[in-house]
Amino acid sequence: MSKLDFITLEVIQNSLQAISDEMFAAMRKTAMSPIIYEVLDMGTAVTDGHGNLATSGAGIPAFVAVLDKAVQRIIELNQGDIRPGDVFATNDPFFGGVTHLNDVVLAMPVFVEGELVAWTANIAHWNDVGGMVPGSMSNEAREIYQEGLRLPAVKIVDQGQPVRAVMEILRANTRLPDFLWGDLWAGVAAVRLGARRIQDLAAKYGKDVFVQALDHFMAYGEEVSRRALRELPKGKFYLEEEQDDGRIFKVTVEIRDDRFVIDLRDNPDQHEGPYNLCRDATLIACQLIFKNVTDPFSTVANAGTFRPLEVLTRPGSVFDAQPPAAFGFYYEVEIRVYDLIWRCLAPYLEDRLPAGHFASICGTVIGGPHPDTGRHFTIVEPELGGWGASRYSDGNSALFSGFHGETFNCPAEVAEARYGLYVEQLRLNDEPGGEGYFRGGKGIVLDYRVRSDGCFLTIGYTRSKQRPWALAGGREGSPNYVEIFRKDGRREVYSQVTALPLNRGDLIRIHTGNGGGYGDPRSRPREKVLEDLKNGYITSEIAREVYGLEV
């Protein structure tokens, strides 16, 4: 066995991170869809030969956390048929896809000296994979069969050659074949690039040293987590919370010196529609909050990091749904359980966790004929919102959710050119909500003016009735919702709607929530209230009625 020194360890680990980042950059530069190249609704990672996460690459944290689970399922379902040059695809939660059918995972095995030593993988949101509505996400879906084309961990490239039959099936099952084709090959290019870089790295330091380095760094990830666990308050913590639809979600968290146990078994049965999670998706939400409270600042996040975490679910429940459950709006359930655990622990970890944020992806799907070209377009984007205040400061304004992470909003110029919509305003939300000694961050108000007849809107927002929660006497935040102003003057309000017809001249106004406040608003310093008023964060009515300031 080759000798492994700490300098070599560090070089290999940083090289793996650089490889993940380079894969991300290659995919971003070559993808067809703005949801990928502008919003960055994607993720990349490298695993070891068994599918254990070796390095968390760039992209949405919850997407990166999908990739090890997807690779492990691909290995399980393709034993004996994994060869150099292969590329596999999955998008099905029952076959390692974890999320919903729009999010497609591509994975490639990496062989060195005839041994499978690693996998490169990526995931990205594809605009349309068939199903009952454009954009493939419907609040009305009752089974996964209605949501689009399922890829059950299948081979799409066989020893370097595309599997023509599978490729043609993909093209035939989308309303946007050019975009799907471009996004597909961008993903293939990224995993191939990563595989070459890993082979070069292993050749430079030796296969045995490379494999040892992966094992060593995972052991280090476990050590970091266990050390952090010992510093947390110990005990059992319980919370139940009503959701927008009236269901009650419950969680028990037990923190021990050597274990972090999240028990979600006592929860409702799986949803009759598309608001469900598979067990792996629930595990991801738990991994995110575990990382948040144990070691939020270090870059160490691999398979070893999560070894002290234990997650308990009940098959057939909303957090462990069974076939043929639908998953189109899985992300709203995933952020609900993430926020549920956050809220459960926040009163005991105020130095680490702020008050509740807008806590919704606010996924917005708008489509129809482009007014200039006549071609069908589909815009798919998450929205920015307000974060909760902490015991140290006001909350941040106009950021993506803690679940969604490293993404960007689509620039107005791109939206207007690619989608044929006018962006008429983007401003901070001045609605009441989130007041406190430290106030919650502000959500946004975003207007899209429709330019064509025959367009549509699909949304599935949560935190529209049950608002972002506060801490220490602060006020809860404001809701997430969408207003439609018809050109004839009618006003409609939605938080969930599927393929709502829109025509030229209609206005879509998106409101995202302000985060929850921290502490008694009446104790907020006068100069800070005046500054908020001057900057337009609050109205004079709020300054007077909530903060007690005469203006």
Side-chain angles (χ1 to χ4, degrees), residues 364-428:
T364 305
V365 183
I366 308 169
H370 195 289
D372 300 326
T373 66
R375 294 183 64 185
H376 179 84
F377 74 88
T378 300
I379 178 174
V380 184
E381 65 176 15
E383 305 296 350
L384 308 162
W387 276 61
S390 72
R391 65 188 299 180
Y392 304 111
S393 67
D394 293 343
N396 290 314
S397 299
L399 290 181
F400 285 109
S401 71
F403 168 89
H404 212 254
E406 301 173 30
T407 46
F408 296 95
N409 59 312
C410 190
E413 297 83 357
V414 173
E416 292 189 339
R418 296 299 296 268
Y419 301 127
L421 301 166
Y422 287 135
V423 181
E424 295 198 347
Q425 73 164 337
L426 173 59
R427 61 175 173 84
L428 294 179

Side-chain angles (χ1 to χ4, degrees), residues 2-17 200-217:
S2 303
K3 184 179 180 181
L4 187 64
D5 62 83
F6 288 107
I7 293 176
T8 302
L9 265 175
E10 193 69 18
V11 170
I12 291 175
Q13 182 56 36
N14 281 286
S15 296
L16 287 172
Q17 185 65 52
D200 291 344
L201 184 65
K204 181 176 182 180
Y205 293 100
K207 181 191 69 176
D208 291 343
V209 169
F210 176 81
V211 172
Q212 286 181 69
L214 295 186
D215 292 341
H216 186 280
F217 205 70

Side-chain angles (χ1 to χ4, degrees), residues 494-541:
Y494 300 95
S495 59
Q496 295 180 1
V497 70
T498 299
L500 178 73
L502 298 169
N503 290 304
R504 183 177 179 181
D506 292 341
L507 181 76
I508 305 164
R509 177 165 293 166
I510 297 164
H511 298 256
T512 66
N514 302 327
Y518 183 98
D520 182 2
R522 295 272 172 165
S523 63
R524 185 170 175 82
R526 175 184 172 86
E527 61 271 17
K528 285 188 173 293
V529 179
L530 289 172
E531 184 180 353
D532 289 343
L533 188 62
K534 177 181 178 182
N535 291 331
Y537 296 158
I538 60 173
T539 63
S540 56
E541 289 78 13

Side-chain angles (χ1 to χ4, degrees), residues 100-278:
H100 62 177
L101 300 186
N102 287 86
D103 297 332
V104 182
V105 175
L106 302 180
M108 184 173 190
V110 183
F111 288 82
V112 176
E113 298 174 11
E115 181 182 344
L116 177 55
V117 299
W119 288 75
T120 55
N122 60 58
I123 180 172
H125 184 104
W126 290 5
N127 286 333
D128 190 284
V129 290
M132 62 194 296
V133 296
S136 309
M137 294 185 294
S138 170
N139 286 284
E140 298 167 6
R142 294 296 176 263
E143 299 177 313
I144 195 171
Y145 310 112
Q146 298 172 306
E147 296 185 315
L149 178 66
R150 300 170 70 187
L151 298 170
V154 296
K155 189 180 294 189
I156 63 170
V157 177
D158 187 356
Q159 299 181 78
Q161 298 302 313
V163 180
R164 180 180 176 277
V166 177
M167 295 294 189
E168 292 304 319
I169 290 170
L170 284 168
R171 287 175 64 91
N173 281 275
T174 176
R175 299 169 180 85
L176 299 167
D178 293 344
F179 285 88
L180 181 145
W181 202 242
D183 296 339
L184 165 67
W185 283 107
V188 171
V191 294
R192 283 175 165 172
L193 172 64
R196 290 198 305 272
R197 295 288 188 261
I198 289 173
Q199 288 167 337
D200 291 344
L201 184 65
K204 181 176 182 180
Y205 293 100
K207 181 191 69 176
D208 291 343
V209 169
F210 176 81
V211 172
Q212 286 181 69
L214 295 186
D215 292 341
H216 186 280
F217 205 70
M218 289 181 198
Y220 175 66
E222 180 178 4
E223 178 187 339
V224 170
S225 291
R226 293 196 182 280
R227 188 187 315 128
L229 264 182
R230 292 192 288 270
E231 299 174 1
L232 296 180
K234 305 303 182 294
K236 278 190 176 183
F237 310 96
Y238 175 80
L239 178 73
E240 58 181 64
E241 179 187 70
E242 184 177 356
Q243 305 304 304
D244 286 352
D245 61 4
R247 291 183 297 171
I248 305 296
F249 287 174
K250 304 173 184 178
V251 66
T252 299
V253 180
E254 182 180 5
I255 303 177
R256 307 196 299 256
D257 280 336
D258 63 343
R259 211 80 183 139
F260 192 101
V261 183
I262 298 175
D263 190 343
L264 294 160
R265 290 174 293 184
D266 185 17
N267 273 292
D269 291 342
Q270 63 194 57
H271 193 263
E272 63 178 8
Y275 289 84
N276 290 297
L277 295 181
C278 68

Side-chain angles (χ1 to χ4, degrees), residues 341-355 469 471:
I341 303 165
W342 179 340
R343 185 175 186 178
C344 177
L345 295 176
Y348 312 100
L349 294 170
E350 288 186 2
D351 59 329
R352 299 175 185 236
L353 295 173
W469 43 274
L471 282 173

